[in-house]
């Protein structure tokens, strides 16, 4: 299978998962695309794909998000993004692949267990969550796990969960893509691959959003998590 076709199919699946569950696009796209292109080349491509998805979902869920929550997450994210770029630039690729594999595997196992988290009341938690989201977003393109854990601890409803995550990811993705632009990380080849993936992105996201109200997300989520465990272990072995 060619690189372009693999990217098209991966983006379609990632966008579909994002539309159904409210998260997970980067967790699916980044491991596959980084395995094809290397993590340094995959990071800016997945970032602009993620920004496109989040922008569309932000418009769709624009009436349900909490501004005071999202703005504090953004503040922490702005501080964490430069740290992530330093990690991306100076850390060996093998370390990053191993780190990404460990993080994805650990998150998937955690999500399988679905423990009940205590409610985090201190404002330090929300700023810290934003910081780690920014750092992981600019380096690994996976800003989701920290804010997903935080949202679970706050007992957000499904609508509020999807809305807050979509708007936060949109702003966070804009910061990250801007950083990649100023770092010169968007060669013509990356933009061409992005353009090729746009139709599959729209199809996958539309299908996922349409099915999100009728599809059984629990069974589907367990299948996705099982896939993530396999992908995470594969990346860990590649890094080693």
């Amino acid at each position: 299978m060619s690189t372009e076709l693999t990217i098209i199919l991966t983006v379609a699946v990632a966008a579909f998962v994002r539309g159904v569950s409210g998260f997970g696009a980067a967790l699916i796209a980044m491991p596959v695309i980084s395995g094809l292109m290397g993590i340094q080349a995959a990071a800016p491509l997945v970032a602009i794909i993620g920004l496109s998805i989040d922008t569309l979902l932000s418009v769709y869920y624009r009436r349900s998000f909490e501004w005071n929550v999202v703005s504090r997450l953004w503040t922490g994210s702005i501080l964490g993004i430069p740290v992530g770029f330093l990690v991306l630039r100076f850390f060996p690729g093998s370390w990053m692949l191993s780190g990404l594999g460990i993080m994805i595997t650990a998150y998937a196992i955690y999500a399988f267990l679905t423990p009940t988290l205590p409610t985090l009341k201190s404002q330090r938690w929300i700023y810290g969550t934003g910081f780690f989201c920014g750092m992981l977003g600019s380096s690994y393109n996976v800003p989701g796990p920290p804010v997903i854990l935080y949202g679970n601890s706050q007992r957000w409803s499904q609508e509020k969960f999807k809305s807050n995550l979509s708007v936060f990811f949109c702003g966070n993705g804009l910061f990250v893509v801007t950083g990649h632009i100023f770092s010169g990380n968007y060669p013509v080849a990356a933009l061409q691959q992005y353009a090729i993936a746009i139709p599959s992105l729209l199809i996958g996201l539309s299908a996922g959003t349409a099915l999100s109200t009728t599809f059984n997300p629990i069974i589907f989520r367990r299948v996705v998590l099982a896939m993530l465990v396999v992908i995470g272990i594969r990346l860990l072995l590649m890094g080693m």
Side-chain angles (χ1 to χ4, degrees):
M1 185 181 296
S2 67
T3 298
E4 289 75 14
L5 182 57
T6 302
I7 291 175
I8 288 171
L9 294 176
T10 300
V11 170
V13 173
F16 178 79
V17 170
R18 181 75 166 85
V20 170
S21 65
F23 64 93
L27 286 170
I28 291 175
M30 190 61 182
V32 177
I33 296 178
S34 63
L36 293 173
M37 306 168 55
I39 198 164
Q40 283 80 8
L45 178 59
V46 175
I48 196 170
I49 290 172
L51 176 60
S52 301
I53 294 174
D54 296 327
T55 300
L56 294 172
L57 288 178
S58 293
V59 174
Y60 186 81
Y61 290 112
R62 64 188 180 277
R63 297 180 180 177
S64 303
F65 80 98
E66 297 175 301
W67 170 254
N68 62 328
V69 171
V70 174
S71 61
R72 290 168 182 161
L73 288 170
W74 280 341
T75 300
S77 177
I78 292 173
L79 299 176
I81 286 173
V83 178
F85 282 123
L86 291 175
V87 170
L88 183 64
R89 182 173 181 180
F90 294 109
F91 276 56
S94 60
W95 290 14
M96 299 182 71
L97 286 173
S98 297
L100 182 59
I102 291 172
M103 183 177 62
I104 289 174
T105 304
Y107 170 72
I109 293 173
Y110 165 86
F112 265 125
L113 298 176
T114 57
T116 301
L117 290 175
T119 302
L120 305 176
K121 297 181 179 180
S122 173
Q123 293 300 311
R124 296 178 180 178
W125 286 107
I126 192 168
Y127 289 112
T129 297
F131 177 87
F132 282 106
C133 287
M135 184 179 69
L136 293 174
S138 57
S139 57
Y140 298 123
N141 261 306
V142 284
V147 72
I148 291 168
L149 298 182
Y150 180 80
N152 286 337
S153 77
Q154 301 303 300
R155 314 295 193 270
W156 289 342
S157 65
Q158 181 176 352
E159 185 76 12
K160 186 179 294 184
F161 184 86
K162 288 187 176 183
S163 179
N164 284 342
L165 261 62
S166 296
V167 177
F168 168 67
F169 287 154
C170 183
N172 189 69
L174 182 60
F175 300 146
V176 172
V177 168
T178 301
H180 280 301
I181 291 173
F182 281 105
S183 299
N185 293 337
Y186 282 111
V188 174
L191 296 177
Q192 289 174 339
Q193 289 165 335
Y194 167 66
I196 291 172
I198 289 177
S200 63
L201 183 157
L202 295 175
I203 293 172
L205 187 62
S206 299
T209 304
L211 289 174
S212 63
T213 57
T214 59
F215 193 83
N216 185 341
I218 297 177
I219 296 177
F220 182 75
R221 182 169 176 266
R222 291 183 182 276
V223 172
V224 171
L225 290 173
M227 293 169 56
L228 289 175
V229 171
V230 174
I231 292 173
I233 293 174
R234 175 175 174 269
L235 281 175
L236 176 60
L237 295 176
M238 288 173 59
M240 295 174 60

